[in-house]
Short mmCIF file of all heavy atoms in Angstrom, two decimals:
data_model
loop_
_atom_site.label_atom_id
_atom_site.label_comp_id
_atom_site.label_asym_id
_atom_site.label_seq_id
_atom_site.Cartn_x
_atom_site.Cartn_y
_atom_site.Cartn_z
N VAL F 24 -13.89 -1.95 -6.22
CA VAL F 24 -13.13 -2.01 -5.17
C VAL F 24 -12.01 -1.05 -5.30
O VAL F 24 -11.03 -1.24 -5.92
CB VAL F 24 -12.36 -3.59 -4.94
CG1 VAL F 24 -11.57 -3.53 -3.79
CG2 VAL F 24 -13.51 -4.52 -5.05
N PRO F 25 -12.13 0.07 -4.58
CA PRO F 25 -11.15 1.10 -4.64
C PRO F 25 -10.06 0.77 -3.73
O PRO F 25 -10.22 0.47 -2.60
CB PRO F 25 -11.94 2.40 -4.12
CG PRO F 25 -13.29 2.08 -4.06
CD PRO F 25 -13.29 0.59 -3.79
N THR F 26 -8.75 0.92 -4.18
CA THR F 26 -7.62 0.61 -3.37
C THR F 26 -6.42 1.59 -3.67
O THR F 26 -6.53 2.37 -4.63
CB THR F 26 -7.07 -0.85 -3.58
OG1 THR F 26 -6.21 -0.84 -4.92
CG2 THR F 26 -8.06 -1.88 -3.83
N MET F 27 -5.44 1.49 -2.77
CA MET F 27 -4.31 2.15 -3.05
C MET F 27 -3.14 1.28 -3.35
O MET F 27 -1.92 1.50 -3.21
CB MET F 27 -3.88 3.05 -1.86
CG MET F 27 -4.95 4.09 -1.56
SD MET F 27 -4.23 5.64 -0.78
CE MET F 27 -3.55 4.95 0.65
N GLY F 28 -3.48 0.13 -3.75
CA GLY F 28 -2.56 -0.91 -4.22
C GLY F 28 -1.72 -1.70 -3.12
O GLY F 28 -2.14 -1.54 -2.01
N HIS F 34 -7.58 -6.70 0.92
CA HIS F 34 -8.11 -6.23 -0.43
C HIS F 34 -8.74 -7.40 -1.20
O HIS F 34 -9.85 -7.19 -1.82
CB HIS F 34 -7.11 -5.67 -1.21
CG HIS F 34 -6.33 -4.50 -0.76
ND1 HIS F 34 -5.03 -4.49 -0.29
CD2 HIS F 34 -6.74 -3.15 -0.45
CE1 HIS F 34 -4.59 -3.38 0.14
NE2 HIS F 34 -5.71 -2.62 0.15
N SER F 51 -9.70 -0.17 -8.67
CA SER F 51 -8.90 0.99 -8.95
C SER F 51 -7.67 0.92 -7.95
O SER F 51 -7.71 0.38 -6.79
CB SER F 51 -9.56 2.31 -8.67
OG SER F 51 -9.96 2.41 -7.29
N PHE F 53 -4.68 3.38 -6.84
CA PHE F 53 -4.19 4.82 -7.00
C PHE F 53 -3.76 5.26 -5.59
O PHE F 53 -4.61 5.39 -4.69
CB PHE F 53 -5.32 5.71 -7.50
CG PHE F 53 -4.98 7.19 -7.58
CD1 PHE F 53 -3.92 7.64 -8.52
CD2 PHE F 53 -5.62 8.08 -6.83
CE1 PHE F 53 -3.50 8.87 -8.61
CE2 PHE F 53 -5.21 9.41 -7.00
CZ PHE F 53 -4.21 9.80 -7.87
N VAL F 54 -2.53 5.65 -5.38
CA VAL F 54 -2.06 6.22 -4.21
C VAL F 54 -2.44 7.65 -4.23
O VAL F 54 -1.67 8.31 -4.87
CB VAL F 54 -0.50 5.95 -3.98
CG1 VAL F 54 -0.14 6.50 -2.58
CG2 VAL F 54 -0.25 4.38 -3.98
N ASN F 55 -3.41 7.97 -3.46
CA ASN F 55 -4.11 9.26 -3.72
C ASN F 55 -3.29 10.32 -2.88
O ASN F 55 -3.44 10.46 -1.61
CB ASN F 55 -5.68 9.13 -3.11
CG ASN F 55 -6.27 10.52 -3.12
OD1 ASN F 55 -6.05 11.29 -4.02
ND2 ASN F 55 -7.16 10.74 -2.15
N GLN F 58 -4.94 12.75 0.19
CA GLN F 58 -5.29 12.18 1.56
C GLN F 58 -4.10 12.06 2.46
O GLN F 58 -4.25 11.65 3.54
CB GLN F 58 -6.14 10.96 1.45
CG GLN F 58 -5.43 9.65 0.89
CD GLN F 58 -6.47 8.52 0.67
OE1 GLN F 58 -7.08 8.51 -0.26
NE2 GLN F 58 -6.39 7.53 1.56
N TYR F 68 5.00 5.28 0.59
CA TYR F 68 4.06 4.22 0.73
C TYR F 68 4.24 3.20 -0.27
O TYR F 68 4.61 3.41 -1.36
CB TYR F 68 2.66 4.99 0.33
CG TYR F 68 1.46 4.24 0.70
CD1 TYR F 68 0.93 4.15 1.88
CD2 TYR F 68 0.91 3.35 -0.37
CE1 TYR F 68 -0.24 3.37 2.23
CE2 TYR F 68 -0.18 2.51 -0.02
CZ TYR F 68 -0.65 2.57 1.25
OH TYR F 68 -1.76 1.67 1.66
N HIS F 121 -7.22 14.81 5.70
CA HIS F 121 -7.25 13.45 5.19
C HIS F 121 -8.57 13.01 4.46
O HIS F 121 -8.54 12.51 3.36
CB HIS F 121 -6.94 12.41 6.31
CG HIS F 121 -7.13 10.99 5.99
ND1 HIS F 121 -6.21 10.36 5.00
CD2 HIS F 121 -7.98 10.14 6.40
CE1 HIS F 121 -6.80 9.08 4.90
NE2 HIS F 121 -7.68 8.85 5.73
N GLY F 124 -9.42 14.61 1.21
CA GLY F 124 -8.74 13.94 0.11
C GLY F 124 -9.45 12.58 -0.26
O GLY F 124 -9.72 12.23 -1.46
N VAL F 125 -9.84 11.78 0.75
CA VAL F 125 -10.56 10.48 0.57
C VAL F 125 -11.89 10.78 -0.07
O VAL F 125 -12.22 10.17 -1.09
CB VAL F 125 -10.74 9.76 1.90
CG1 VAL F 125 -11.72 8.59 1.69
CG2 VAL F 125 -9.41 9.35 2.59
N ALA F 126 -12.69 11.62 0.41
CA ALA F 126 -14.00 11.88 -0.13
C ALA F 126 -13.87 12.46 -1.58
O ALA F 126 -14.74 12.06 -2.33
CB ALA F 126 -14.78 12.96 0.69
N VAL F 128 -11.53 11.95 -3.80
CA VAL F 128 -11.02 10.84 -4.79
C VAL F 128 -12.16 9.83 -4.90
O VAL F 128 -12.45 9.23 -6.06
CB VAL F 128 -9.68 10.27 -4.42
CG1 VAL F 128 -9.86 9.16 -3.34
CG2 VAL F 128 -9.14 9.67 -5.59
N VAL F 129 -12.86 9.49 -3.81
CA VAL F 129 -13.86 8.48 -3.85
C VAL F 129 -15.04 8.98 -4.77
O VAL F 129 -15.63 8.15 -5.56
CB VAL F 129 -14.39 8.02 -2.36
CG1 VAL F 129 -15.65 7.18 -2.52
CG2 VAL F 129 -13.31 7.23 -1.90
N LEU F 132 -14.08 8.48 -8.27
CA LEU F 132 -14.06 7.10 -8.57
C LEU F 132 -15.53 6.69 -8.88
O LEU F 132 -15.86 6.01 -9.87
CB LEU F 132 -13.47 6.28 -7.49
CG LEU F 132 -12.00 6.31 -7.35
CD1 LEU F 132 -11.45 5.59 -6.14
CD2 LEU F 132 -11.26 5.86 -8.62
N PHE F 143 -15.51 -1.65 0.82
CA PHE F 143 -14.60 -0.98 1.70
C PHE F 143 -14.41 -1.84 2.88
O PHE F 143 -15.35 -2.55 3.29
CB PHE F 143 -15.01 0.40 2.11
CG PHE F 143 -15.18 1.40 0.93
CD1 PHE F 143 -16.43 1.49 0.25
CD2 PHE F 143 -14.15 2.04 0.50
CE1 PHE F 143 -16.54 2.42 -0.80
CE2 PHE F 143 -14.21 2.95 -0.61
CZ PHE F 143 -15.45 3.14 -1.28
N GLY F 144 -13.14 -1.77 3.41
CA GLY F 144 -12.90 -2.68 4.58
C GLY F 144 -13.29 -1.93 5.90
O GLY F 144 -13.06 -0.73 6.06
N ASP F 147 -10.83 0.59 8.15
CA ASP F 147 -10.84 2.00 8.12
C ASP F 147 -12.32 2.35 8.42
O ASP F 147 -13.00 2.89 7.52
CB ASP F 147 -10.48 2.47 6.74
CG ASP F 147 -9.01 2.20 6.46
OD1 ASP F 147 -8.12 2.64 7.24
OD2 ASP F 147 -8.65 1.41 5.52
N GLN F 150 -13.61 5.97 7.76
CA GLN F 150 -13.62 6.02 6.34
C GLN F 150 -14.93 5.72 5.75
O GLN F 150 -15.58 6.24 4.89
CB GLN F 150 -12.47 5.43 5.50
CG GLN F 150 -12.51 5.45 4.13
CD GLN F 150 -11.34 4.82 3.47
OE1 GLN F 150 -10.41 5.63 3.25
NE2 GLN F 150 -11.20 3.64 3.03
N ILE F 154 -17.80 7.74 3.75
CA ILE F 154 -18.16 7.48 2.47
C ILE F 154 -19.62 7.17 2.39
O ILE F 154 -20.31 7.55 1.47
CB ILE F 154 -17.21 6.35 1.95
CG1 ILE F 154 -15.85 6.78 1.65
CG2 ILE F 154 -17.84 5.72 0.61
CD1 ILE F 154 -14.99 5.75 1.49
O1 PAF Q 1 -8.86 2.78 1.82
C1 PAF Q 1 -8.04 3.16 0.88
O2 PAF Q 1 -7.23 2.38 0.38
C2 PAF Q 1 -8.23 4.64 0.38
O3 PAF Q 1 -8.49 5.46 1.46
C3 PAF Q 1 -9.24 4.64 -0.78
C4 PAF Q 1 -10.71 4.38 -0.42
C5 PAF Q 1 -8.91 3.78 -1.86
C6 PAF Q 1 -9.23 6.16 -1.26
O4 PAF Q 1 -8.01 6.50 -1.75
#
Side-chain angles (χ1 to χ4, degrees):
V24 181
T26 80
M27 297 208 299
H34 298 111
S51 63
F53 179 64
V54 181
N55 175 35
Q58 69 188 74
Y68 192 85
H121 170 67
V125 170
V128 82
V129 167
L132 294 171
F143 297 90
D147 294 298
Q150 171 170 280
I154 291 169

